[in-house]
Amino acid sequence: MNIKLELLIRGGTVIDGTRRPRYRADVGVRAGRIVAIGDLSAYNADQVIDASGRVVAPGFIDSHTHDDDALLSNPDLPFKVSQGVTTVVTGNCGISAAPLRLDSPLPMPLGLLHDGSRYFPTFKHYLDELKRCPPAVNVVPMVGHTNLRLMAMEDINRSATCEEVAVMQSLLNEALDAGAVGMSTGTYYPPAAAASTEEVVEVSRPLGVRRALLVAHIRNEADKCLESIEEIFRVGSEVLAPVVISHHKHLQEANFGNSLITLRRIEEEMHCQCVSLDCYPYTASSTMLHQEESRLRGRVTIASSEPHPECQGMDLQDIADSWGVSRLKAANRLHPASAIYFSMSEEDVQRILAFEWTMVGSDGIPKGAHPHPRLWGTFPRVLGRYSRDIGLFPLETAVWKMTGLTADTFGLEGRGMISDGCYADITVFDPATVQDVASYEDPTKPSDGIEVVIVNGTVAYSNREHLHTRTGQVLARSAPPVGEKSIRK
């Protein structure tokens, strides 16, 4: 037999992204697809990778990112490829790279995405540019509700009128036609906080018609977390759109332990409508530097500051003390800025991460010299700390949460599995050494144990070296027919 492959991964242990038990097999790749699995000793290949003692897994799918602009400004995406990520979901928390007019304001947190150097008046313009200049990873794009508000409304400090809702629906339909897999909301943030539930329902109606996703940074993740979850359940139920709850968490010490309540409610609702969720494996969050005193409680570390870059990595309290001002005045002086908030419990993080249907998403913000370490370390941290060291779940489950589960949720056909005919998005890692190295003190260090990363059949990362291959594609969602529900059993 003389069958020629382009790439042969030999001698590895396959964890295929379905939660099936691991097994020993070679994996053969040709024309960007997996074409053979098993004993491939009779096959020849242009390139052979020795995976002895290593795990061969589907490339990890980051279910929650803010890489929209970085895909164009830093298309190698070293912070993602180095941790085994081959696909990113963009446009989360109500903010996306498009649509935006040249004169569009960039209120926070939208300003964290954009450097003001490029504007895309339609979603199609943005996706066309990604296709013209492919990045190193695949992209699953969403459009942000906040962007639609900025395009349709002169005053965003109120709920939209019927006429403005109609404009937003038209913009949403354009984005879905172009290839967006859904719309995200960010009613937690000032640009969309004034939106009523009714506004979100009406703007979201095209999602139900198209069976596109409604992905929500809910209105409150502290004392009104359950109430905010009920709000997005109502929206999803009214418009018949699948719902994803973003980075589920409970902020502030008074709310620690409430994951017992919310997870029980989420699981209950999964029997009535299509509901999913994601989380990141850290007890600190990161977003814009808030300008309200109630949101500046506890330890806050500055991740980026445009007027005071010298303060990156410093605690807000230390900055306020050195300036002789209050924490709120210091925050105002640092603005526009992003920050890290140490405001969650490890017990809630573990409980949410261990919940059967929780996907893994980094929620990293690729801006500034001192980002949250989740930007570089999320996926190896789940594999190393939470699966291997703590034993929160088997490695097969960990991989599934990063691959097959996410591909199923976002309707990505032929992704998230090691299987004949699937696209060759593959990560090879050492299960004994894989771990995150990025820390709050040194947040941009690449992880250990990620050895080879393959995107659409081409090696993008090997032996800690980025190969500058840019074979990523814009991925479309394969949605079920209108009226068909995908309910967790």
Side-chain angles (χ1 to χ4, degrees):
M1 185 182 297
N2 187 23
I3 300 175
K4 189 66 175 293
L5 300 169
E6 293 171 3
L7 178 63
L8 175 59
I9 305 170
R10 194 185 295 283
T13 298
V14 173
I15 295 182
D16 68 3
T18 68
R19 286 193 287 185
R20 286 177 51 196
R22 65 193 76 182
Y23 60 94
R24 157 68 176 81
D26 307 324
V27 178
V29 174
R30 185 171 56 227
R33 300 260 190 170
I34 297 169
V35 296
I37 302 172
D39 180 1
L40 307 183
S41 55
Y43 286 57
N44 296 312
D46 295 328
Q47 183 177 5
V48 177
I49 295 170
D50 182 4
S52 301
R54 306 298 187 253
V55 168
V56 180
F60 306 143
I61 304 171
D62 193 336
S63 65
H64 188 107
T65 84
H66 295 287
D67 297 333
D68 308 53
D69 187 70
L71 290 162
L72 294 171
S73 62
N74 189 11
D76 284 339
L77 259 69
F79 44 88
K80 290 299 165 66
V81 175
S82 65
Q83 56 178 309
V85 171
T86 60
T87 300
V88 297
V89 180
T90 60
N92 285 283
C93 298
I95 53 177
S96 55
L100 281 175
R101 291 187 298 263
L102 186 60
D103 61 345
S104 290
L106 297 176
M108 287 298 216
L110 187 60
L112 294 179
L113 275 187
H114 294 271
D115 60 11
S117 64
R118 55 175 71 88
Y119 286 80
F120 301 99
T122 69
F123 209 78
K124 184 178 185 300
H125 279 89
Y126 173 62
L127 295 189
D128 284 348
E129 185 66 9
L130 282 179
K131 292 170 185 176
R132 187 180 73 83
C133 303
V137 300
N138 301 309
V139 185
V140 181
M142 294 188 295
V143 66
H145 171 233
T146 294
N147 290 66
L148 305 186
R149 298 190 100 231
L150 290 170
M151 293 288 285
M153 303 174 66
E154 291 187 7
D155 178 10
I156 60 172
N157 297 309
R158 56 170 174 77
S159 197
T161 65
C162 293
E163 292 77 13
E164 290 164 339
V165 165
V167 173
M168 283 189 268
Q169 287 180 337
S170 177
L171 291 167
L172 175 55
N173 274 314
E174 185 279 326
L176 295 173
D177 288 340
V181 303
M183 182 185 78
S184 71
T185 63
T187 49
Y188 174 82
Y189 293 107
S196 65
T197 305
E198 288 69 28
E199 175 190 320
V200 179
V201 168
E202 294 307 315
V203 173
S204 299
R205 291 207 180 274
L207 301 175
V209 174
R210 311 282 283 271
R211 293 299 291 160
L213 292 164
L214 174 63
V215 179
H217 182 150
I218 58 175
R219 202 176 289 271
N220 185 296
E221 296 176 315
D223 55 315
K224 295 183 178 179
C225 185
L226 183 59
E227 177 183 320
S228 299
I229 288 172
E230 296 290 358
E231 178 187 32
I232 206 63
F233 285 168
R234 175 193 157 189
V235 177
S237 178
E238 287 200 26
V239 305
L240 297 179
V243 168
V244 179
I245 299 170
S246 293
H247 44 54
H248 185 38
K249 66 174 78 73
H250 289 274
L251 299 175
Q252 301 176 4
E253 188 173 356
N255 303 299
F256 289 178
N258 283 347
S259 58
L260 286 166
I261 298 169
T262 53
L263 290 175
R264 184 164 57 244
R265 179 67 187 96
I266 289 168
E267 186 169 27
E268 177 182 79
E269 191 65 20
M270 284 176 169
H271 293 279
C272 304
Q273 62 174 308
C274 184
V275 177
S276 305
L277 72 161
D278 66 67
C279 80
Y280 48 80
Y282 296 87
T283 56
S285 61
S286 182
T287 185
M288 60 181 279
L289 179 59
H290 292 301
Q291 306 296 295
E292 303 91 26
E293 197 163 6
S294 63
R295 292 184 174 183
L296 294 173
R297 297 171 185 161
R299 181 186 171 194
V300 179
T301 299
I302 303 306
S304 68
S305 170
E306 290 187 18
H308 293 282
E310 73 278 5
C311 292
Q312 292 175 160
M314 296 178 62
D315 281 4
L316 179 62
Q317 186 64 59
D318 294 337
I319 297 168
D321 291 343
S322 69
W323 288 350
V325 299
S326 69
R327 287 161 63 96
L328 181 57
K329 286 185 177 179
N332 290 334
R333 192 179 296 180
L334 290 162
H335 195 72
S338 60
I340 298 169
Y341 301 85
F342 296 83
S343 55
M344 291 179 278
S345 77
E346 178 68 17
E347 291 77 11
D348 281 327
V349 169
Q350 289 194 27
R351 188 177 295 120
I352 294 167
L353 186 59
F355 181 69
E356 182 176 8
W357 301 105
T358 301
M359 302 177 289
V360 176
S362 69
D363 195 20
I365 302 171
K367 188 168 185 176
H370 211 276
H372 192 301
R374 66 193 183 186
L375 181 67
W376 286 80
T378 290
F379 291 83
R381 183 173 177 84
V382 173
L383 297 171
R385 171 176 169 78
Y386 286 101
S387 179
R388 182 190 61 228
D389 299 342
I390 293 178
L392 198 59
F393 32 60
L395 197 56
E396 286 85 348
T397 298
V399 169
W400 173 71
K401 284 174 170 287
M402 306 174 172
T403 59
L405 174 60
T406 316
D408 179 61
T409 299
F410 285 89
L412 308 179
E413 283 193 353
R415 310 279 175 176
M417 291 189 298
I418 302 291
S419 182
D420 281 337
C422 283
Y423 293 92
D425 295 337
I426 300 170
T427 293
V428 180
F429 66 89
D430 184 344
T433 64
V434 65
Q435 63 179 355
D436 59 309
V437 179
S439 65
Y440 293 107
E441 296 72 30
D442 194 358
T444 60
K445 296 182 73 172
S447 298
D448 288 340
I450 302 295
E451 300 197 353
V452 180
V453 181
I454 299 162
V455 181
N456 292 310
T458 299
V459 177
Y461 182 82
S462 179
N463 297 319
R464 303 181 74 88
E465 180 184 357
H466 294 272
L467 302 182
H468 309 292
T469 56
R470 297 175 185 171
T471 56
Q473 300 176 5
V474 175
L475 305 184
R477 171 175 168 79
S478 175
V482 175
E484 180 181 327
K485 286 185 179 179
S486 176
I487 298 173
R488 306 294 189 194
K489 297 293 186 182

